[in-house]
Amino acid sequence: MNDSPTPSSTSDSASITTVDQTVGRSQRSVDGSQTILSESRHWRDVFWLGIFVIHLIGLGFVLAVLGLNRFKKSDRLNIDKYTNRVWENKPGLTENYWPMYAVAGGIGALLGWVWLLLLGSQANQMMKVSVHILTTYLAVISVLCFWCDQFFWGVAFGIAAALQFLYVISVVDRLPFTMLVLQKAVKMVWSLPEVMRVAYVFMLVMLLWMAIWSFGAAGVVASSMGDGGRWWLLVVLSVSLFWTGAVLCNTVHVIVSGMVFLVLIHDGRGSPSMPHKPLMNSLRYAVTTSLGSICYGSLFTAAIRTLRWEIRGIRSKIGNNECLLCCVDFLFHLVETLVRFFNKYAYVQIAVYGKGFNRSARDAWELFQSTGVEALVAYDCSGAVLLMGSVLGGLITGTSAGVWTYTKSKDRVIMVGSTAMLMGMILVGLAMVVVESAVTSIYICYAEDPLLIHRWDAEFFNQMSETLHQRLQHRSARAREVLTHNRLDAHIQESLSI
């Protein structure tokens, strides 16, 4: 069924009336919210904070050992004698590959910084480029892999290009609304230059950790271990880097969400009711009492979100294939259940109320479902668009490092290129997350009290309300269609049995 728009009033009063009648909103007063925001915080999800810290310390030691063992001297630490059944006699040095990772880190940071610098004027154009260029770039990488006799990676990137193309086709009708939401999120972030400075600082912190991480990764690539052993070690190191990068991204997410929520609640940054030093308070909570919740959520949220986007895209284009639809529906409901406990909107609840991650995710999802805003959230593709930008940045970074590696050591291109791609994705993602945080905060505020958005931007409020009205009508029509279809099937079966 096509999502054809239905006529609705665009006046302020009509929009407010429609939204209030369709979904009962609870309204929040500024004084009440300020009281909640100023409550004392308790440490949450401390177990996962401990695991993350132990993981960082242990991994830092392992990285130092792996890098030093091949730094300026082969087998400096005499590790080879303990693994003589696994390792091969292929000499290599850490410093042969470490500069390639340095280039990857530099390109990734440059892309992230450029994106932040162009946030106010060219962000929409850059996001449109990310959506439309990513498929082509993946296809080009696939061809290059086949040219380098890397059949497996050529097929992998080819499948990725096909999936990306299918996803964009499946959500093309949602892109205008998505770009509108992103444009307003950029407007909000651009009015808060201090949050962009926070992103710069966290990118620098990530670069410092990547210097250590790439030292160990370069030692693995240069080692005399067989390809199988090298790949297993690099996979473990990549998972660790992904978790660390996700923690830093979500820490920025919590800081920015707290700031945006305060601005909307207090009707502007210059409001007399605005708390003193709100950014420092958000930063303090994010790196202390709420850090355990951030570490916990960072393990699962990104993977579940990506899976949900893909399943939604496939589900909307299946048509009347009952068997395939049944299988996809099973996966869809399974992922939807997981989303209740792992979603990006939890970070706004963490920022504002200091709750644990699971409770925050559940409360955010129940808020969306009870108010009907979940229909609007499901229609929006802003997270996927921002992820495409991060992936494109990672691909550019990985390609640059891979091309240099090809001129030095052809059999190490995929190893260096794939890990460099992950580095670029994380660094660009740190820049993208400031916009995503504003998007999530806008939706939470709209669900809690739509008038917060109306006071901030009346025209945007009208557009959101109209789109929500259309989505709720669309869902009602689909529900009636399914009910009619089921009744018809039951009637036919009853007639046949007679």
Side-chain angles (χ1 to χ4, degrees):
M1 185 175 200
N2 294 331
D3 299 340
S4 57
T6 58
S8 62
S9 172
T10 57
S11 65
D12 292 0
S13 59
S15 297
I16 296 171
T17 303
T18 300
V19 174
D20 287 342
Q21 289 177 346
T22 307
V23 287
R25 300 290 205 264
S26 61
Q27 298 204 356
R28 171 190 302 279
S29 68
V30 172
D31 294 337
S33 63
Q34 187 173 356
T35 301
I36 292 173
L37 289 167
S38 61
E39 282 181 355
S40 59
R41 302 285 181 120
H42 301 286
W43 288 81
R44 306 290 185 183
D45 298 312
V46 178
F47 171 78
W48 293 101
L49 174 60
I51 293 294
F52 181 71
V53 171
I54 292 171
H55 141 265
L56 278 186
I57 295 172
L59 187 73
F61 175 77
V62 171
L63 290 170
V65 169
L66 291 172
L68 286 172
N69 189 56
R70 293 277 164 175
F71 188 67
K72 294 187 177 180
K73 180 182 177 182
S74 296
D75 198 23
R76 175 188 293 273
L77 303 179
N78 271 334
I79 295 178
D80 287 9
K81 65 181 181 181
Y82 299 108
T83 54
N84 55 3
R85 295 181 181 179
V86 183
W87 294 46
E88 302 170 354
N89 294 319
K90 290 184 179 179
L93 297 175
T94 300
E95 58 266 30
N96 292 344
Y97 302 97
W98 202 17
M100 300 168 188
Y101 284 115
V103 167
I107 293 175
L110 178 63
L111 290 173
W113 285 334
V114 167
W115 200 92
L116 281 175
L117 287 173
L118 297 177
L119 191 60
S121 57
Q122 305 294 331
N124 269 3
Q125 287 79 357
M126 293 172 69
M127 285 182 280
K128 289 177 182 177
V129 166
S130 300
V131 171
H132 298 295
I133 295 297
L134 182 56
T135 302
T136 304
Y137 204 101
L138 284 167
V140 170
I141 297 296
S142 175
V143 172
L144 288 175
C145 288
F146 283 122
W147 183 60
C148 295
D149 297 326
Q150 296 289 340
F151 181 79
F152 172 81
W153 290 103
V155 171
F157 279 108
I159 293 173
L163 290 175
Q164 166 66 12
F165 177 75
L166 290 174
Y167 178 77
V168 173
I169 292 298
S170 69
V171 300
V172 68
D173 57 323
R174 306 181 190 181
L175 291 180
F177 176 72
T178 296
M179 291 302 174
L180 171 67
V181 174
L182 289 171
Q183 181 183 2
K184 297 302 178 179
V186 167
K187 172 187 171 184
M188 171 60 74
V189 171
W190 194 249
S191 68
L192 301 170
E194 60 267 40
V195 302
M196 289 189 285
R197 289 196 288 269
V198 167
Y200 284 128
V201 171
F202 273 79
M203 286 175 67
L204 180 60
V205 172
M206 192 69 238
L207 271 175
L208 293 175
W209 176 249
M210 281 182 174
I212 300 171
W213 183 90
S214 60
F215 182 68
V220 172
V221 175
S223 70
S224 58
M225 188 184 296
D227 281 346
R230 269 195 296 266
W231 272 115
W232 275 111
L233 264 178
L234 287 175
V235 166
V236 172
L237 294 181
S238 296
V239 170
S240 168
L241 182 64
F242 178 82
W243 188 21
T244 306
V247 168
L248 288 181
C249 284
N250 290 326
T251 303
V252 176
H253 193 350
V254 169
I255 295 168
V256 178
S257 297
M259 276 294 298
V260 172
F261 197 93
L262 281 172
V263 169
L264 292 174
I265 284 288
H266 294 277
D267 198 20
R269 183 182 172 196
S271 172
S273 62
M274 192 76 171
H276 184 58
K277 294 183 178 179
L279 180 67
M280 292 307 299
N281 287 335
S282 295
L283 177 62
R284 177 163 56 88
Y285 293 143
V287 298
T288 54
T289 56
S290 297
L291 188 56
S293 299
I294 294 170
C295 295
Y296 174 45
S298 299
L299 270 173
F300 309 104
T301 308
I304 292 173
R305 283 169 54 200
T306 305
L307 184 60
R308 183 172 183 248
W309 293 330
E310 293 295 340
I311 291 176
R312 277 189 179 276
I314 294 171
R315 188 171 180 258
S316 65
K317 295 297 178 182
I318 285 177
N320 296 322
N321 189 324
E322 296 290 343
C323 180
L324 185 58
L325 184 61
C326 182
C327 295
V328 172
D329 271 346
F330 172 76
L331 292 175
F332 176 75
H333 291 301
L334 178 62
V335 172
E336 288 294 300
T337 301
L338 292 174
V339 167
R340 294 173 184 270
F341 299 97
F342 299 98
N343 61 72
K344 63 182 179 179
Y345 301 95
Y347 296 111
V348 183
Q349 298 272 335
I350 290 171
V352 178
Y353 306 110
K355 303 174 184 176
F357 184 85
N358 282 141
R359 184 185 169 192
S360 296
R362 186 175 63 251
D363 289 352
W365 204 246
E366 288 176 357
L367 174 66
F368 285 150
Q369 289 195 316
S370 65
T371 57
V373 176
E374 191 272 332
L376 202 59
V377 170
Y379 187 66
D380 176 41
C381 303
S382 56
V385 170
L386 293 171
L387 177 62
M388 291 176 198
S390 299
V391 171
L392 182 60
L395 286 171
I396 294 172
T397 302
T399 305
S400 302
V403 168
W404 188 13
T405 307
Y406 185 80
T407 64
K408 301 290 185 182
S409 179
K410 294 182 180 180
D411 59 338
R412 299 290 192 268
V413 172
I414 299 298
M415 288 184 185
V416 175
S418 57
T419 46
M421 173 184 165
L422 179 61
M423 292 172 65
M425 282 181 59
I426 291 171
L427 288 167
V428 177
L430 274 167
M432 298 282 187
V433 77
V434 296
V435 177
E436 187 172 18
S437 302
V439 171
T440 55
S441 299
I442 287 170
Y443 279 122
I444 289 287
C445 287
Y446 185 74
E448 292 205 355
D449 185 356
L451 293 179
L452 295 174
I453 305 300
H454 184 267
R455 289 199 301 266
W456 173 55
D457 192 321
E459 182 182 357
F460 179 49
F461 167 80
N462 292 334
Q463 292 167 315
M464 286 188 74
S465 300
E466 183 175 353
T467 304
L468 176 58
H469 181 67
Q470 293 171 7
R471 296 309 304 162
L472 292 174
Q473 283 191 331
H474 170 66
R475 285 195 170 188
S476 298
R478 287 196 64 180
R480 286 194 299 270
E481 183 182 343
V482 171
L483 183 60
T484 303
H485 180 71
N486 290 340
R487 285 177 177 174
L488 182 60
D489 285 346
H491 180 68
I492 292 173
Q493 289 177 4
E494 183 180 350
S495 301
L496 290 175
S497 63
I498 293 174

